[in-house]
Amino acid sequence: MSARSLTIGRLAESAGVNLETVRYYERIGLVRPRARSESGYRLYDDDSVERLAFIGRAKRLGMSLDDVATLIEA
């Protein structure tokens, strides 16, 4: 796990995606927070930024989110 902890807003900004996209991907299980802050904020790491980049590349290649989920599980 990387040392950097990102809130959901910083994660979206770092990955160049919309905040609501991150929330949706979390709801369907493509992205998961690594921890929670003491105040309850979801915290992500650099692996989550890389995962969002992977999802974006896969979508640009024409893959569905179901296909992406299958790849991530493998």
Side-chain angles (χ1 to χ4, degrees):
M1 183 172 177
S2 69
R4 186 165 77 149
S5 291
L6 304 166
T7 61
I8 193 168
R10 295 282 185 194
L11 171 64
E13 183 180 312
S14 294
V17 299
N18 186 291
L19 178 64
E20 291 303 317
T21 299
V22 177
R23 287 184 177 135
Y24 176 69
Y25 289 170
E26 185 178 337
R27 277 195 308 275
I28 65 172
L30 293 177
V31 178
R32 292 184 184 95
R34 299 294 181 207
R36 291 253 180 194
S37 70
E38 289 182 18
S39 55
Y41 289 102
R42 293 172 289 216
L43 298 176
Y44 302 85
D45 59 14
D46 288 325
D47 291 340
S48 297
V49 176
E50 291 175 23
R51 181 170 281 206
L52 288 173
F54 172 80
I55 293 168
R57 287 190 303 271
K59 286 181 59 183
R60 284 190 295 280
L61 290 171
M63 295 182 75
S64 70
L65 289 177
D66 287 335
D67 292 337
V68 172
T70 300
L71 277 176
I72 288 173
E73 289 174 14

